[in-house]
Amino acid sequence: MTKPKITETIFRDAHQSLIATRMKTEEMLPIAERLDEVGFYSLEVWGGATFDSCLRFLNEDPWERLRKLRKSVKKTKLQMLLRGQNLLGYKNYPDDVVEEFVKKSIENGIDIIRIFDALNDVRNLSKSIETTKKSGGHAQAAISYTISPVHNVDYYVKLSKEMENMGADSICIKDMSGILMPYTAYELVTKLKKEINLPIQLHSHFTSGVANQTYMKGIEAGVDIVDTALSPFSMGTSQPSTESMIASLKDSQYDTGLDLSLVADIADYFKPIREKYIKEGILNPKVLEVDSRTLTYQVPGGMLSNLVSQLEQQGSLDKYEKVLEEVPRVREDLGYPPLVTPMSQMVGTQAVFNVILGERYKMVPSEVKNYVLGLYGSPAVPISDEIKQKIIGNEKVFNGRPADLLEPQLEKLKNEIKEYIEQDEDVLTYASFPQIALKYFQHRQAEKYKIDSSLLNAEEKTYPV
């Protein structure tokens, strides 16, 4: 029996879940070396929404954050989350962009890349897994966990075997909604340990209040690694508490061997940071509440807040319950996609339209149309002809690998921003978030040349004459 290891999420998923990924690099660096002393299996520090938030809200270069953390963390593996062919954005990127992004992530300090696809379509994982391994990284393939008439233990075992055959170095059960029940976790981990010969990692969120029990049953079944967050940024829509997990396993056959007093001291560093974000109104106490509706509607915590925001903008917050009831119906219509980015946004927005307009599929976002056309991959359950007719009419569905439709883009992108390039990674930043990247590049040039950034012309991408 192997003792469970811990991945600490404080620098990525913990603050993404509770404070919309607003933690700054300057708040991370003073404690990074101490985190390196604990003996965690890995520190999750990058990917997910960190890239977008660095540029959009913090005016930081995400690549520079990674390099600084790598310099401070010398012993512990650094981990990131990647959306397969979507990279860190919300659409598919061509293979040349995916290859370069993965290569540069590893060059800048990432050891482990957790790769998932919103539809569990392994074709969307292949290029990332292949490039990660070729670049000397650890490719962790992730199951996007959901529940439906077809998403059961046997489905996930079969999926994991496909991932193993593709060359994955480990498997993560990614329970983004906090809906994996303890005894189901025990059954799933038990079968995975029998059927595949790879380490198994378990990732969940405390949204529904059951993640601690799920982790314990997973550990009893032989899971190798669990994801936790230091207590100031744990629980709620984040992960279970690191200190509580270490304490719960202490003096048992599953003792992690980690020093609880050291971890508690490190957690103290984050308490005033947490208080600051509470005072600024960024940490909303609502995200710390247990929400049992998650178990009924399978809606992740972040998606719940997004639905509230959409309805407030429409002046229709009174329709919140009706939208929650509509979400599972839309999900069924669309072939039971897991509610993870970008599918959670698509399903949620469509549910809002259906309720507010009083007619189902009267208005359909272009992303939902593209999904039904097969441009994101294949759903686990085929979409009915009736729903297809409502959404795309008689248009033909594409059944191949979506990225095969995309032309190489790197050279074109380089040419578009040649006057801004200061490092190779800038092209990947621009590929990921073009408009936000341009604003960041212009600000960077303004700082460098000590000029007023308002004088820069965003559309022309040059200095005004």
Side-chain angles (χ1 to χ4, degrees):
M1 185 205 75
T2 56
K3 294 191 175 184
K5 301 179 178 72
I6 289 180
T7 289
E8 173 56 56
T9 69
I10 190 78
F11 285 162
R12 205 287 293 177
D13 202 7
H15 73 104
Q16 178 172 321
S17 297
L18 297 186
I19 58 169
T21 335
R22 294 297 202 280
M23 196 182 291
K24 301 176 181 69
T25 303
E26 67 190 39
E27 293 168 324
M28 300 176 181
L29 292 176
I31 200 67
E33 287 185 15
R34 293 206 75 197
L35 279 166
D36 194 23
E37 295 297 321
V38 174
F40 291 120
Y41 170 73
S42 64
L43 292 173
E44 194 197 31
V45 300
W46 214 59
T50 58
F51 203 93
D52 185 354
S53 289
C54 274
L55 296 165
R56 191 188 300 264
F57 301 113
L58 306 179
N59 201 33
E60 290 188 18
D61 179 357
W63 298 99
E64 187 60 21
R65 170 182 290 188
L66 175 55
R67 289 190 287 265
K68 285 178 177 177
L69 287 171
R70 179 74 283 174
K71 196 173 178 184
S72 296
V73 179
K74 297 181 171 66
K75 296 185 283 191
T76 312
K77 291 172 185 171
L78 297 185
Q79 184 165 326
M80 73 172 288
L81 180 68
L82 193 80
R83 300 176 187 135
Q85 206 73 28
N86 292 170
L87 294 177
L88 303 181
Y90 309 100
K91 63 176 186 179
N92 283 324
Y93 292 90
D95 286 342
D96 65 331
V97 176
V98 172
E99 287 175 1
E100 188 69 6
F101 199 102
V102 169
K103 192 176 94 175
K104 286 295 179 186
S105 298
I106 292 169
E107 276 182 20
N108 280 276
I110 289 295
D111 299 294
I112 302 167
I113 303 186
R114 177 177 294 169
I115 305 162
F116 78 94
D117 178 63
L119 297 175
N120 289 316
D121 187 334
V122 294
R123 298 172 303 173
N124 292 331
L125 306 177
S126 58
K127 183 54 67 176
S128 301
I129 289 175
E130 174 195 321
T131 310
T132 299
K133 292 175 72 70
K134 198 182 289 183
S135 304
H138 176 114
Q140 181 176 86
I143 293 163
S144 295
Y145 183 82
T146 190
I147 302 166
S148 82
V150 296
H151 291 94
N152 52 34
V153 167
D154 290 339
Y155 168 90
Y156 292 120
V157 171
K158 180 175 179 288
L159 178 63
S160 299
K161 283 181 179 176
E162 290 178 44
M163 292 170 166
E164 182 179 33
N165 291 336
M166 290 178 74
D169 295 305
S170 61
I171 301 291
C172 174
I173 303 165
K174 178 178 164 58
D175 174 27
M176 57 280 173
S177 303
I179 58 174
L180 176 59
M181 293 293 100
Y183 289 98
T184 307
Y186 185 88
E187 182 187 358
L188 176 55
V189 173
T190 300
K191 286 197 175 178
L192 286 175
K193 296 298 285 185
K194 282 180 183 172
E195 297 285 342
I196 66 170
N197 190 32
L198 295 175
I200 308 296
Q201 187 151 357
L202 182 52
H203 169 95
S204 188
H205 291 250
F206 205 79
T207 319
S208 67
V210 302
N212 275 340
Q213 296 95 304
T214 297
Y215 276 15
M216 293 300 275
K217 292 306 290 183
I219 288 167
E220 287 174 8
V223 88
D224 297 278
I225 313 145
V226 293
D227 288 7
T228 62
L230 288 168
S231 57
F233 286 90
S234 72
M235 315 295 274
T237 52
S238 178
Q239 279 74 53
S241 156
T242 303
E243 302 97 295
S244 302
M245 189 57 56
I246 293 170
S248 298
L249 299 170
K250 191 169 173 53
D251 298 327
S252 75
Q253 59 183 318
Y254 308 111
D255 195 322
T256 63
L258 300 182
D259 183 342
L260 183 56
S261 61
L262 171 60
V263 175
D265 283 348
I266 294 170
D268 284 343
Y269 168 83
F270 289 97
K271 288 177 181 174
I273 296 174
R274 170 195 162 102
E275 290 307 308
K276 183 192 86 165
Y277 286 109
I278 290 174
K279 283 177 186 171
E280 290 176 1
I282 294 173
L283 176 49
N284 187 327
K286 282 192 172 184
V287 301
L288 298 173
E289 297 172 0
V290 167
D291 194 334
S292 60
R293 286 175 300 187
T294 300
L295 300 174
T296 306
Y297 303 120
Q298 297 188 37
V299 177
M303 186 178 168
L304 284 172
S305 56
N306 197 33
L307 291 176
V308 169
S309 174
Q310 287 187 52
L311 289 168
E312 279 179 338
Q313 288 169 19
Q314 301 289 332
S316 302
L317 198 51
D318 59 312
K319 295 184 169 67
Y320 181 58
E321 286 295 332
K322 286 186 177 177
V323 169
L324 276 184
E325 290 166 9
E326 178 66 4
V327 165
R329 289 195 285 263
V330 171
R331 185 169 166 257
E332 181 180 354
D333 290 344
L334 298 182
Y336 294 105
L339 293 179
V340 65
T341 303
M343 293 313 305
S344 51
Q345 288 89 335
M346 290 188 211
V347 171
T349 302
Q350 188 63 64
V352 169
F353 282 174
N354 288 359
V355 170
I356 288 180
L357 298 174
E359 182 183 333
R360 306 188 79 231
Y361 305 106
K362 182 178 182 180
M363 184 182 291
V364 180
S366 59
E367 292 84 359
V368 175
K369 288 180 181 176
N370 286 336
Y371 163 70
V372 176
L373 284 166
L375 302 185
Y376 285 87
S378 297
V381 176
I383 299 169
S384 72
D385 290 340
E386 179 193 354
I387 296 297
K388 281 186 199 168
Q389 186 65 37
K390 281 184 179 180
I391 294 176
I392 59 170
N394 295 317
E395 289 190 64
K396 192 176 178 186
V397 173
F398 177 71
N399 292 312
R401 185 181 79 113
D404 289 342
L405 295 171
L406 304 174
E407 296 291 328
Q409 272 187 351
L410 266 183
E411 291 308 315
K412 176 176 173 285
L413 294 168
K414 281 179 191 174
N415 193 52
E416 284 180 14
I417 59 157
K418 56 180 183 289
E419 62 268 49
Y420 287 125
I421 295 176
E422 294 185 8
Q423 57 180 351
D424 292 344
E425 291 81 1
D426 287 342
V427 180
L428 299 166
T429 301
Y430 177 64
S432 302
F433 302 102
Q435 291 173 308
I436 303 164
L438 278 178
K439 284 182 183 175
Y440 172 75
F441 295 153
Q442 288 168 350
H443 176 83
R444 185 174 67 182
Q445 282 200 350
E447 292 278 302
K448 186 175 180 181
Y449 296 109
K450 303 286 190 282
I451 62 171
D452 184 347
S453 60
S454 66
L455 296 174
L456 295 172
N457 187 324
E459 280 191 9
E460 297 296 327
K461 296 181 293 194
T462 57
Y463 295 115
V465 176

